[in-house]
Structure formats: structure tokens, C-alpha cells
Amino acid sequence: MNGSDGLLEALRELRRHLGLDLFPLVAGDVGSDRRALRELTGQLDDYLIPRLSAIDAPLLAVVGGSTGAGKSTLVNSLVGADVSEPGVLRPTTLAPTLVTSPADRDWFTAQHVLPGLPRVTGEGRGEPGTLRVVTVPALPPGLALLDAPDIDSVVTANRELAAQLLAAADLWLFTTTAARYADEVPWGFLRSARERSTALAVILSRVPPEALGVVKRDLTRLLEANGLGGTRLFEVPELVLPEENARLPRSAVEPVADWLTGIAADSQARAAVVRQTLSGALESLAVRVPALADAVDRQHAVAAELRTMTAAAYAGGLASFDEGMLDGSLLRGEVLARWQDFIGTGDLMRSLEDRVGRFRDRLVAMFTGRPAPESELRVALESGVEALIRASADGAAERVLESWSSHPSGRALLQEAGVAEAGRLGRASADLPAKAEAAVRGWQGYVLGLVREEGADRRTTARLTSYGVNGAGLLLMLAVFASTGGLTGIELGIAGGTSVLSQKLLEAVFGDQAVRTLTIKARTDLRARVSVLLGAEATRFTSLLDAVQPPENAAPALRAAAHAVRDHQREIPPAGRPAVPPAEERPGRLPATPVRLTLPAGGADATPDPLDQPTDAVPRGTDRERGER
């Protein structure tokens, strides 16, 4: 087992947690959160995990910068071959080109680094979305150069790819020009390099000779002001080339070539670059991952808001049903008419107790096909309750749709669902009528069961026989809707008479205390059934959240994974010393001149340190949140 296995497994565990869709809802600056997630997963896939898996793998130096900074021309001039096509049209670099030595070709053509980019070899520019790998004998082993797209490209995909490639680099060769060095976009990337302690060198190109001193001093000042003082700075003067795609003369790029060759040839320099960039990227996780966890918490908070809105709307729907159940409105219209048919127009008590009268009703129904008044009343009451349930559900759905539409996250979810689906969500579901009918019939069966249970003793049974279980059950159902708060005038008198009469008849059979108990039980059971129906209706909205909301443990898991990486960070292994051929056998295009990674502000004119002196890395930056991209 390697000493870094614990760190590597901690990174892989972190990557598994980042593989979820953590930011589906519009919460806070969700665009930045999603971009930070892409950047972090990309750096884990493209750099941290591959580099830690092979600490002594060849060094990858990414040449990046602004539009027109001369990146492709610089790469061609450094390697002494036309491997990347320069030009005046923008964007020029459609597919990144990676230049490697024959000794390192197999490493870069395999999917070790940047595994998400398919490899392309041979002639041609390469297609967008691919990584073109070119072998150049002049390039020394242990170092590869990658020509990246413009960081400020007019093509969004190019800008994103440039950021991805820079995050995958062991070393940034950041190119800018005398005309563009003060632009904000490059400084966003440079601040990101500072915060992640990425090994960095800046190449100032296309500088008119007369302006070289002024521009260099100002760029040095800006580097100091942005916490990048001491960064290695090279200057490439502005030259008139014989043709558009010509290479720069050897003298113009020799300081950069010597510096890179020195890093490739010196195992200590290479180890310093790798450990600096790797350590800085790992340390940045201590800030970046908790920030993502906080953003996941915001996702859960927004989801809770939408769930609360939904619950409140359907609680209002249940309250509307309660009001309709108690305000006497169900005793209007059809129910009143069927009640009058049920009680008849003669002596009420005698007609209810006269079993002959009931037999007569059944005979009339048999020969005329007209249902008995008792059946008609039950159907009318059932229809009234079902209509009240549907109205309550429609009102609740409309309120949820309105509240979600006024909330950014809810509006985005509804838009994603589509106009047709949003329209269906704004009213009760199509199968609610059938469910409501089943629920009301189930409630009626429950009420009849209550009547049978209460009439089990002999005295009550005798009295109940006069009315029948169905008749007494109907009276109890009517008693559930006994309040008449919502009625006026004649309807109030009729409904009030209905309620009082139902109550009195039930009390004559069961007694007043038993009637109160039976009424509460019947009302509570109906309310519970309606509550279940409305809860099922609410899931049409909450299921939209269930489908996208991150797991409840996502944020704690991210924080735990960041702690695990921190705990294992000391396991970064030292880089070994690669086999380097003797100086006389190495390619002459990039002569081996070992230098320090960071030199004083003297730039290319500074004297290289002796080989036996310790290699100095770019000063480590802070652990602050990621820089602007």
C-alpha cells in the first residue's frame, strides 16, 4: 500500500459526492455555484487524481492567455516546429494542442490527464472538443506544452475549455501583451492561480522596444498588488515576421526555452513545481468544498420554502373543506330537496316509524323505477361532499401554482415542467373525482358501522329497528353538517329544521351524549379521508422537488470529505528523480540550463542559481474562495 493511498481514496470519495446534481434549484447565485462545481470536479478528474496517482509523471505546462497574445506562435517557436496554427482570425485555436516528446507520448495519448477529451494524433487542427497530441523530438522528456484556447474567446465553449485546461496544469505559462496586460479577465485567472498556489510564469509579448521598460514596470506593479510579487516574468519583444505564421527568432524565446528545459532536466525543480501546484490545489479544497456545501444547504432551504408553500396551500384547502362541512352549505339545493322527499309531508314521526310506509316506498320504486327517497338523499349528500372536496382541491392547486410562480425556484421548476403540465397542476388532478367518490362511500360505510356498533345493545336495537340502520346512518351524516352559519332566510330555516330534526331523531334512538360522540367520530373520519386526498394532490408539486433535490446528507457528506482530504494531505509523496539523458544526448532546441522556478524581478536577464541550491516556488497564496473566472 502506497503512503498516499489514503489521500487518493479521500479525493475519490469527494469526487463521488460531487457527481450528483447538487444545484438543480434557483437559489442564490446558482450560476456561480454550478460553475464552481464544474471547476472543482474538472480539477479532480483532470489534475488532482491523475497527478497523485502518478506523482512522477511528465510535467504539463499549459500556455494560456488572452486573444491575440501569440500563444500558438510562442509554442511553435519554443519547440521548433509548426505544431499549432497561428493566425489573425478568432478564435484560432479550435482544439487544444499538446506537444510532447517521443518518450512521453504514451502517457499523454492515454487518458491519464484530461480524460474527458478524446485524443487526436496526426496532421490537421483537430475538432472542437478533442485534444490533439503532437510528438516533437526537440522537446526534452519530462515536459509537455499545451496550447490552450483564449481565456476571453467569443466562443463560450472555448473560454470554459481554457479554464479547464489551466486547472489541469502543473505549470501555467500565462501570456499577455503590452496592449492587454491590464484587462480584468486575465487577472481573474491570475488571482485564481494565487489562491490555489499554482506554479506560474507570465510571458509579456508583443512589446514595442521603446515601451518595454514602462510596461514591464507597470506589470510588475500589478503583480505585486495582486499578491503575485516575485512571479517569473519573461518579455518577448514585438518583431516584424516575414509571414503571418512564421516562428519567432531563437533569441526572442531563448530565455523561456532555457527556463523550461532547466525544469524538465532538474528533478528537484520538477518536484517543486508538482508539489507546489498539487499542495495548493489540495489546500484550496478546504475553502471550495465547504462553500459548495453551504450552497447545497441553500438548495435545501429553497426546497423547504416551496414545500412550505405547498403545505400551506393544501392546509388552506382542508380548512375550506372544514368550513364547507360546518357552514350548512351542504344542506342546500339537491340535499334539501331529497331530505323533503325522505321525510314526506305528513306526520314526520309517524311516517318515519311506519314500516308500512317504507314498504310502500319500496313497492313504488320497484314498479316506477324511481329510487327510494332514502337512496336519493344518500346520493345527493354523497355528490355534495364530493363537489366540496373537488372545490377545495382546485383552490389549493391554484394557490400553489400562484405562489410557486412568484418564487424564482418554483417558477423555474414550472417552466421546466412545461406550459401544459403547469396548467394541469393549477387544478385538481383528473383522477380526483374517482378518488373522492371512493373516499365518500368509504366514509358512509364507516358511519353505518358506527350506527350498528352503537345500536348493539337490546334497548337501542329496539328503537333503531323503527328507523333502520340506513335511515339512522343518514341522520348521522346530516348531523355532521349540522351548523348553518353560512345560510340565511328561508334556507336557514329549512336547513336549521333539518339539522335540529336529525339531531332529535338520533337522540331519541341513542341518547344525546352518544349522538355527540358519534357525530365527532363521523366528522373526524371524513376530515381524515379528505386530508389524505389533499395530501396526495400536494405530491403532484412536491414530486417535482423530489426528482431534483439533492440528498439530505449531501452537504454533511461534502464537509466530511473535505476534512478527510485535509487529514490525509501530508501524504503527498515526494517526486522521484526521472532518468535524464546526458546533456550531449539531449535535444538542442531547448538546451538544459537549470534555473530557479521563481527569480527576482530582473526577468530573463537574471542570473540562474547554481544547480545545488534549493528550488524556490512561486509564493503560496491564500486559502480564499476561488478567483473570478
Side-chain angles (χ1 to χ4, degrees):
M1 178 175 179
N2 296 327
S4 61
D5 285 352
L7 177 57
L8 188 57
E9 181 54 35
L11 289 174
R12 287 171 175 160
E13 179 66 15
L14 172 61
R15 179 62 182 87
R16 283 191 286 271
H17 292 301
L18 294 174
L20 304 173
D21 184 7
L22 297 178
F23 307 116
L25 302 175
V26 178
D29 188 359
V30 71
S32 295
D33 296 335
R34 291 168 178 166
R35 184 165 56 252
L37 177 61
R38 288 194 302 270
E39 291 173 359
L40 185 51
T41 54
Q43 192 169 38
L44 283 167
D45 291 340
D46 299 337
Y47 180 69
L48 283 171
I49 293 176
R51 171 51 72 189
L52 195 60
S53 301
I55 196 71
D56 292 322
L59 202 70
L60 178 62
V62 174
V63 182
S66 304
T67 301
K71 298 182 295 298
S72 298
T73 299
L74 176 65
V75 170
N76 291 343
S77 303
L78 286 172
V79 302
D82 295 330
V83 295
S84 191
E85 183 178 347
V88 297
L89 299 179
R90 299 289 177 261
T92 302
T93 304
L94 300 178
T97 298
L98 189 150
V99 189
T100 181
S101 70
D104 299 329
R105 182 182 183 278
D106 291 343
W107 171 260
F108 288 109
T109 53
Q111 303 297 110
H112 297 299
V113 181
L114 298 164
L117 293 178
R119 271 37 174 185
V120 175
T121 58
E123 301 296 328
R125 302 177 64 182
E127 295 297 325
T130 64
L131 178 62
R132 181 170 169 258
V133 180
V134 179
T135 302
V136 175
L139 201 64
L143 174 70
L145 296 179
L146 196 158
D147 182 15
D150 301 331
I151 60 173
D152 54 358
S153 173
V154 295
V155 180
T156 301
N158 280 357
R159 295 196 304 271
E160 294 176 349
L161 180 58
Q164 177 187 358
L165 297 177
L166 289 171
D170 292 301
L171 171 66
W172 284 12
L173 297 179
F174 211 90
T175 62
T176 187
T177 66
R180 304 291 302 275
Y181 74 92
D183 290 355
E184 173 55 27
V185 173
W187 286 103
F189 279 84
L190 291 171
R191 284 190 290 268
S192 179
R194 176 201 65 200
E195 292 168 2
R196 300 178 190 178
S197 297
T198 303
L200 170 70
V202 175
I203 300 174
L204 178 61
S205 65
R206 298 185 176 178
V207 185
E210 66 276 11
L212 179 59
V214 176
V215 173
K216 181 179 177 180
R217 284 194 298 272
D218 195 44
L219 178 54
T220 301
R221 177 188 64 80
L222 290 174
L223 288 169
E224 291 279 356
N226 284 273
L228 291 165
T231 298
R232 188 68 165 93
L233 177 60
F234 296 97
E235 310 90 32
V236 177
E238 185 175 37
L239 300 171
V240 178
L241 300 178
E243 53 188 16
E244 179 183 314
N245 60 350
R247 301 175 214 156
L248 296 167
R250 173 67 180 170
S251 59
V253 297
E254 188 168 13
V256 182
D258 290 350
W259 183 71
L260 290 174
T261 302
I263 293 175
D266 182 3
S267 62
Q268 291 185 1
R270 292 180 63 251
V273 171
V274 170
R275 289 181 62 82
Q276 175 180 335
T277 302
L278 184 59
S279 297
L282 288 172
E283 288 176 1
S284 74
L285 300 183
V287 173
R288 297 162 72 191
V289 176
L292 289 178
D294 292 342
V296 173
D297 286 335
R298 288 194 292 271
Q299 290 281 310
H300 286 296
V302 166
E305 286 181 34
L306 296 177
R307 292 181 190 278
T308 299
M309 291 177 181
T310 305
Y314 279 94
L318 187 58
S320 296
F321 178 81
D322 289 339
E323 183 180 355
M325 186 167 55
L326 297 174
D327 66 4
S329 60
L330 277 173
L331 303 181
R332 306 183 189 191
E334 186 70 13
V335 175
L336 283 174
R338 300 290 74 80
W339 167 254
Q340 291 173 347
D341 290 342
F342 178 56
I343 63 173
T345 56
D347 186 340
L348 178 60
M349 295 298 296
R350 188 173 62 251
S351 67
L352 284 174
E353 296 180 8
D354 187 354
R355 303 188 66 181
V356 175
R358 291 199 302 275
F359 180 69
R360 181 195 60 214
D361 290 338
R362 294 191 186 99
L363 288 177
V364 171
M366 182 185 300
F367 287 102
T368 64
R370 183 173 180 266
E374 174 187 299
S375 175
E376 291 183 329
L377 176 58
R378 184 178 66 253
V379 171
L381 186 60
E382 178 181 318
S383 299
V385 177
E386 292 171 10
L388 181 58
I389 294 172
R390 292 195 299 272
S392 301
D394 280 336
E398 185 176 350
R399 285 190 292 273
V400 176
L401 188 64
E402 182 179 350
S403 59
W404 276 36
S405 297
S406 64
H407 191 287
S409 297
R411 183 166 57 251
L413 281 176
L414 293 173
Q415 289 173 349
E416 186 176 346
V419 176
E421 180 62 21
R424 286 190 290 269
L425 288 171
R427 56 183 182 274
S429 61
D431 59 353
L432 179 65
K435 291 181 179 179
E437 180 181 354
V440 173
R441 288 185 177 176
W443 172 69
Q444 290 175 332
Y446 171 78
V447 171
L448 295 179
L450 286 179
V451 171
R452 291 190 187 94
E453 181 180 346
E454 191 65 28
D457 67 87
R458 292 184 178 181
R459 287 186 303 169
T460 305
T461 300
R463 292 194 296 268
L464 183 60
T465 303
S466 300
Y467 303 100
V469 172
N470 290 341
L474 274 173
L475 295 177
L476 179 56
M477 294 174 201
L478 290 170
V480 169
F481 311 102
S483 175
T484 58
L487 303 182
T488 58
I490 297 176
E491 281 190 330
L492 175 61
I494 297 174
T498 301
S499 302
V500 172
L501 184 56
S502 300
Q503 192 86 4
K504 293 299 182 182
L505 291 175
L506 285 173
E507 289 175 0
V509 176
F510 301 113
D512 56 350
Q513 181 58 44
V515 169
R516 283 193 292 272
T517 301
L518 290 172
T519 303
I520 292 173
K521 287 183 177 180
R523 185 176 294 150
T524 301
D525 182 80
L526 178 57
R527 190 179 189 278
R529 294 174 189 271
V530 174
S531 179
V532 170
L533 289 177
L534 294 180
E537 289 290 292
T539 60
R540 298 183 304 138
F541 290 93
T542 57
S543 62
L544 297 178
L545 289 169
D546 295 338
V548 298
Q549 184 176 339
E552 289 295 330
N553 67 338
L558 286 175
R559 295 187 179 98
H563 281 300
V565 172
R566 189 79 169 181
D567 292 342
H568 290 281
Q569 191 167 335
R570 295 180 182 177
E571 299 174 5
I572 299 176
R577 181 181 296 272
V580 180
E584 63 273 9
E585 296 179 11
R586 290 197 295 267
R589 181 61 62 182
L590 299 179
T593 307
V595 297
R596 289 167 60 90
L597 181 59
T598 300
L599 293 179
D605 297 328
T607 303
D609 287 342
L611 184 60
D612 58 351
Q613 291 192 6
T615 303
D616 187 14
V618 177
R620 191 172 304 284
T622 65
D623 276 344
R624 292 182 301 180
E625 172 65 280
R626 63 188 181 278
E628 298 177 25
R629 282 286 175 107

